[in-house]
């Protein structure tokens, strides 16, 4: 398959022969010399050899003269094509006309008819059944067809390549005809098409109709599955913008001399990002792989970060979250394990963050205690003074609020300094949480535990406060 790759790349590094200025292939098409050996002029061949199928089948000396290439063939009398001859073929209408007639003669030999000279569309001929049978019997015609396709690309008739290759794919893969041609159509006919876009469309068509599909080795299945062919072309003879099909074609002769002679595809058109794998021998055309989903997500995240303005608050860091958790734990500890002389303190929040909601304290005695207004924090080591509410002293807490998960934190040492003469709360008992307050009421009405309360008061007065 390396020769197909070199052909599509216009034979890089090829050193042409020094023929002293003679151009035998051009001279043959100008009806000046006969093909060798044992040949005739081009006009005699086009007029007398048409429909002489036995002669065309048995004679092997004419094919290299009818469709010359830049590489040597079996017939040593036929000389390789030169770049000077290529330019002369493209500029001469007489030579171009004879080349098309020679192409039609060979198509008739294979049971095919050229429908449109401008687009190269082909179809079955009226006698295709007998000619298809000859193709199945004589496999050397596959080599002739490959040479025809390559020569059409060299001599300026690239628009003829894809329709002929598509015809053989339809006959072999869809209609199940020409079983002896199927392998050559997939290995050589498709890859003789120089236009990359058309070649990929042919590969996608072959992949869709190949059975079993898992054995298709002429292209990567993932890219073939994602490939979307372009919209169908206009009807023959009517192209967009009033141009002729030849003028408006996407793939034409290579004007740059580099690559496969492919024009740029229209924006947004999906193409196969890569050629068939090693089995197809098209390793020379490396295409960039599409970005993976992970890379796409990373790019989106980076773009969002760059677009975020400085005023927008970004996600909190780990240190901010830890500070919020520690403050919440301190609130729970100060509210759940508070002694009668301690004061409820509002939990300071981090700068810029919303203040956390203070949990409701369980009321055992049925009374309510409101937090005192916050004041500037007292120096470290100086406990804050608490405000007592009217009513009996609180007994021991029966059940405190559940502590959040995490390491236990010591009671806060610092507390807001209360102003002198804190306001005493007077008023009836609040009806909140009657179930838990009922226990306090029972303890007061029964009068039990009065001595125990007095002992606890004396013990609390004697016991110094912990720093």
């Amino acid at each position: 398959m390396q020769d197909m790759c070199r052909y599509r790349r216009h034979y890089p590094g090829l050193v042409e022969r020094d023929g002293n200025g003679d151009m035998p292939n051009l001279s043959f098409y100008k009806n000046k010399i006969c093909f060798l050996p044992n040949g005739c002029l081009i006009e005699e061949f086009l007029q007398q050899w048409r429909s002489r199928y036995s002669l065309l089948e048995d004679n092997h000396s004419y094919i290299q003269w009818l469709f010359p290439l830049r590489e040597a063939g079996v017939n040593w009398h036929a000389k390789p094509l030169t770049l000077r001859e290529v330019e002369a073929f493209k500029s001469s209408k007489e030579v171009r006309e004879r080349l098309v007639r020679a192409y039609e003669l060979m198509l008739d030999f294979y049971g095919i008819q050229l429908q449109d000279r401008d687009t190269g569309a082909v179809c079955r001929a009226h006698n295709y059944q007998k000619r298809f049978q000859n193709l199945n019997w004589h496999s050397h015609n596959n080599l002739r067809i490959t040479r025809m396709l390559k020569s059409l690309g060299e001599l300026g008739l690239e628009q003829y390549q894809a329709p002929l290759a598509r015809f053989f794919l339809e006959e072999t893969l869809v209609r199940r005809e020409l079983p002896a041609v199927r392998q050559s159509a997939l290995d050589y006919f498709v890859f003789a098409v120089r236009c990359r876009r058309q070649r990929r469309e042919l590969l996608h068509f072959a992949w869709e109709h190949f059975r079993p599909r898992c054995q298709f080795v002429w292209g990567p299945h993932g890219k073939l599955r994602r490939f979307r062919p372009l919209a169908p072309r206009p009807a023959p003879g009517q192209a967009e913008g009033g141009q002729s099909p030849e003028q408006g074609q996407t793939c034409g002769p290579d004007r740059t001399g580099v690559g496969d002679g492919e024009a740029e595809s229209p924006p947004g058109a999906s193409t196969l990002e890569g050629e068939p794998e090693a089995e197809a021998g098209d390793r020379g055309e490396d295409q960039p792989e599409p970005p993976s989903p992970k890379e796409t997500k990373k790019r989106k995240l980076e773009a969002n970060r760059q677009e975020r303005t400085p005023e927008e608050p970004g996600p909190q860091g780990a240190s901010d979250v830890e500070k919020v958790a520690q403050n919440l734990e301190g609130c729970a500890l100060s509210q759940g394990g508070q002694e009668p002389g301690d004061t409820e303190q509002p939990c300071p929040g981090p700068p810029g963050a919303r203040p956390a909601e203070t949990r409701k304290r369980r009321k055992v005695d049925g009374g309510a205690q409101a937090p005192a207004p916050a004041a500037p924090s007292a120096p470290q080591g100086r406990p804050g003074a608490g405000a007592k509410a009217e009513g009996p002293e609180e007994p021991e807490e029966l059940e405190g609020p559940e502590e959040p998960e995490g390491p236990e934190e010591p009671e806060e040492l610092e507390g807001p300094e209360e102003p002198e003469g804190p306001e005493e709360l007077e008023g009836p008992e609040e009806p909140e949480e009657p179930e838990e307050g009922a226990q306090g009421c029972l303890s007061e009405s029964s009068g039990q535990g009065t001595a125990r309360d007095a002992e606890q008061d004396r013990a609390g007065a004697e016991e110094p406060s912990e720093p």
Side-chain angles (χ1 to χ4, degrees):
M1 291 296 181
Q2 293 297 328
D3 60 332
M4 304 300 294
C5 184
R6 293 187 70 249
Y7 156 75
R8 291 197 307 272
R9 294 179 177 275
H10 301 271
Y11 301 96
L14 177 65
V15 179
E16 295 184 346
R17 59 181 174 82
D18 185 11
N20 297 325
D22 59 337
M23 295 184 286
N25 296 292
L26 182 64
S27 299
F28 170 70
Y29 262 94
K30 284 188 173 182
N31 206 34
K32 294 180 179 179
I33 62 174
C34 300
F35 69 86
L36 298 174
N38 305 321
C40 60
L41 297 174
I42 182 67
E43 280 295 332
E44 295 177 5
F45 178 86
L46 295 175
Q47 294 174 9
Q48 299 176 10
W49 287 49
R50 189 178 181 87
S51 300
R52 297 180 66 177
Y53 300 138
S54 298
L55 182 59
L56 291 171
E57 179 64 40
D58 296 335
N59 193 305
H60 299 281
S61 59
Y62 67 89
I63 191 67
Q64 290 182 218
W65 290 88
L66 281 184
F67 302 100
L69 296 176
R70 295 182 62 194
E71 55 193 60
V74 178
N75 183 4
W76 63 273
H77 292 282
K79 303 303 179 182
L81 192 66
T82 62
L83 291 177
R84 289 181 58 197
E85 289 178 321
V86 169
E87 296 300 326
F89 266 84
K90 294 179 180 180
S91 60
S92 175
K93 292 183 179 180
E94 176 190 5
V95 170
R96 193 182 183 89
E97 174 67 21
R98 285 174 177 157
L99 178 61
V100 174
R101 289 170 59 192
Y103 178 62
E104 290 176 332
L105 185 148
M106 294 304 299
L107 288 181
D108 177 71
F109 174 60
Y110 297 131
I112 307 171
Q113 179 182 354
L114 181 63
Q115 283 184 313
D116 194 325
R117 283 193 170 191
D118 293 328
T119 63
V122 295
C123 64
R124 287 177 171 180
H126 66 281
N127 60 342
Y128 77 92
Q129 293 180 345
K130 292 184 179 180
R131 304 318 309 155
F132 280 14
Q133 188 177 17
N134 182 75
L135 272 175
N136 285 324
W137 287 350
H138 302 92
S139 60
H140 69 90
N141 286 291
N142 297 339
L143 299 175
R144 292 178 173 181
I145 295 172
T146 303
R147 171 175 279 272
M148 287 169 51
L149 288 167
K150 294 168 73 174
S151 181
L152 291 173
E154 290 285 1
L155 300 177
L157 295 176
E158 286 188 11
Q159 71 271 21
Y160 285 7
Q161 292 181 312
L164 184 59
R166 172 69 176 257
F167 174 83
F168 282 108
L169 290 178
E170 291 178 354
E171 293 294 337
T172 56
L173 299 178
V174 180
R175 297 171 179 166
R176 306 297 178 184
E177 298 282 351
L178 300 173
V181 184
R182 187 178 98 153
Q183 193 69 25
S184 294
L186 291 168
D187 287 344
Y188 297 98
F189 298 174
V190 172
F191 296 102
V193 178
R194 266 195 170 147
C195 176
R196 185 177 299 171
R197 177 184 58 79
Q198 293 178 347
R199 189 167 65 250
R200 289 170 175 171
E201 290 179 354
L202 292 172
L203 281 174
H204 184 263
F205 176 83
W207 175 75
E208 284 185 329
H209 297 88
F210 188 88
R211 297 294 181 274
R213 186 175 290 180
C214 60
Q215 297 181 7
F216 189 86
V217 296
W218 293 272
H221 289 205
K223 295 177 182 178
L224 286 166
R225 195 175 294 109
R226 296 190 300 269
F227 178 76
R228 294 293 179 270
L230 298 178
R233 295 181 178 180
Q238 183 69 29
E240 296 181 2
Q243 297 178 346
S244 65
E246 185 176 356
Q247 293 174 349
Q249 63 185 354
T250 305
C251 296
D254 186 15
R255 296 175 179 83
T256 60
V258 181
D260 289 350
E262 176 198 9
E264 289 188 5
S265 300
S270 176
T271 57
L272 269 175
E273 294 295 335
E275 285 299 319
E277 308 198 356
E279 292 83 355
D282 201 14
R283 306 184 188 91
E285 301 177 12
D286 298 330
Q287 296 292 332
E289 290 291 336
S292 62
K294 292 184 179 179
E295 294 180 357
T296 306
K297 291 181 180 179
K298 289 181 180 179
R299 292 176 183 175
K300 289 182 179 179
L301 289 174
E302 291 177 359
N304 292 337
R305 290 173 183 172
Q306 292 176 0
E307 291 177 359
R308 183 182 295 134
T309 57
E311 291 79 6
E312 290 181 352
Q316 291 183 347
S319 59
D320 296 338
V321 175
E322 291 177 0
K323 291 179 180 179
V324 174
Q326 291 176 3
N327 291 329
L328 291 175
E329 291 172 4
C331 291
L333 290 172
S334 62
Q335 293 175 4
Q338 191 175 24
E339 295 296 331
D342 294 341
T343 305
E344 281 188 42
Q345 304 175 12
C347 301
R354 298 177 60 184
E357 295 183 0
T358 308
R359 297 190 180 185
K360 285 188 177 182
R361 178 183 173 184
R362 293 181 180 271
K363 302 176 182 59
V364 180
D365 56 347
Q369 192 173 11
S377 58
Q380 187 171 2
R382 181 179 176 182
K388 294 183 180 180
E390 284 189 353
E393 297 177 358
E394 292 183 2
E396 294 181 0
E397 293 278 346
L398 300 179
E399 184 178 356
E402 296 179 2
E403 296 182 2
E405 296 181 4
E408 297 183 0
E409 296 289 337
E411 296 182 1
E412 293 186 5
L413 300 179
E414 297 182 8
E417 186 176 354
E418 300 292 337
E420 296 181 359
E423 297 180 358
E424 294 184 355
L425 301 178
E426 297 181 2
E429 297 178 356
E430 295 183 2
E432 293 181 4
E433 300 184 9
E435 295 180 0
E436 296 182 5
Q439 297 180 6
C441 294
L442 289 175
S443 62
E444 287 181 276
S445 62
S446 60
Q448 296 177 1
T450 307
R452 183 177 54 186
D453 294 339
E455 290 176 3
Q456 289 180 357
D457 293 340
R458 288 194 297 270
E462 295 173 0
E463 188 176 359
S465 59
E466 296 179 4

